[in-house]
Amino acid sequence: MENLSMLWGIIGPGVAGALFGAGWWFWVDAVVCSAVKVSFIHYLPGIFASVSALMFNCVSKEDLGGDYYSAYGGDDNEWRAKLWLFVAYVVSFVCLAASVGLLVQDALTDKGPSVWTGVAGVLQCVFVLISGLTYWTCHSSDD
């Protein structure tokens, strides 16, 4: 089991980077291939999904346990880390919901971007958030 954990620590960041790159590749492809100009509001779910992936990677797994010494205070650090993680997850799910909403809007109107732009936005959010979770599971605080 320790060998599997060590292997995941080695290949996990590469897998996370590939997922992140694939998510943004879908989005760039949709914007470049779009017949009409894609408005800036379509960019926001992917941008905020990337920010939320960064947010929950700022919290280490050791910060959630509470079995550590901290020079910054007592028991307040554990709930602060959990609150930060909760806010990051809320932002990520709002991004996913916004991208689905934009997909529905693109599918129902004829004058906006194509449906592929909406699908690429959803794929971008899903891949970026999975990459963030992948990286969070494979790194430790001693890295």
Side-chain angles (χ1 to χ4, degrees):
M1 186 67 180
E2 187 173 316
N3 290 337
L4 185 62
S5 175
M6 187 176 71
L7 181 65
W8 182 242
I10 293 170
I11 66 167
V15 171
L19 288 169
F20 188 85
W24 276 97
W25 184 263
F26 282 125
W27 179 248
V28 169
D29 177 63
V31 170
V32 168
C33 294
S34 179
V36 297
K37 184 178 184 297
V38 179
S39 66
F40 183 70
I41 197 158
H42 283 78
Y43 287 81
L44 291 177
I47 292 170
F48 281 107
S50 299
V51 169
S52 70
L54 180 69
M55 285 173 65
F56 59 74
N57 274 295
C58 290
V59 177
S60 68
K61 292 176 274 196
E62 289 81 16
D63 290 345
L64 299 176
D67 298 335
Y68 63 93
Y69 170 74
S70 175
Y72 299 112
D75 298 329
D76 293 341
N77 289 332
E78 183 179 358
W79 74 265
R80 285 180 187 158
K82 288 180 180 178
L83 180 65
W84 181 260
L85 199 59
F86 176 74
V87 169
Y89 283 126
V90 167
V91 170
S92 66
F93 287 121
V94 166
C95 292
L96 192 58
S99 66
V100 169
L102 288 170
L103 167 63
V104 170
Q105 178 186 355
D106 291 344
L108 295 178
T109 60
D110 292 333
K111 58 184 174 180
S114 66
V115 176
W116 168 238
T117 306
V119 171
V122 171
L123 288 174
Q124 176 194 23
C125 285
V126 167
F127 276 57
V128 166
L129 295 174
I130 289 174
S131 76
L133 289 173
T134 302
Y135 187 74
W136 190 75
T137 61
C138 69
H139 82 281
S140 62
S141 63
D142 59 344
D143 290 342

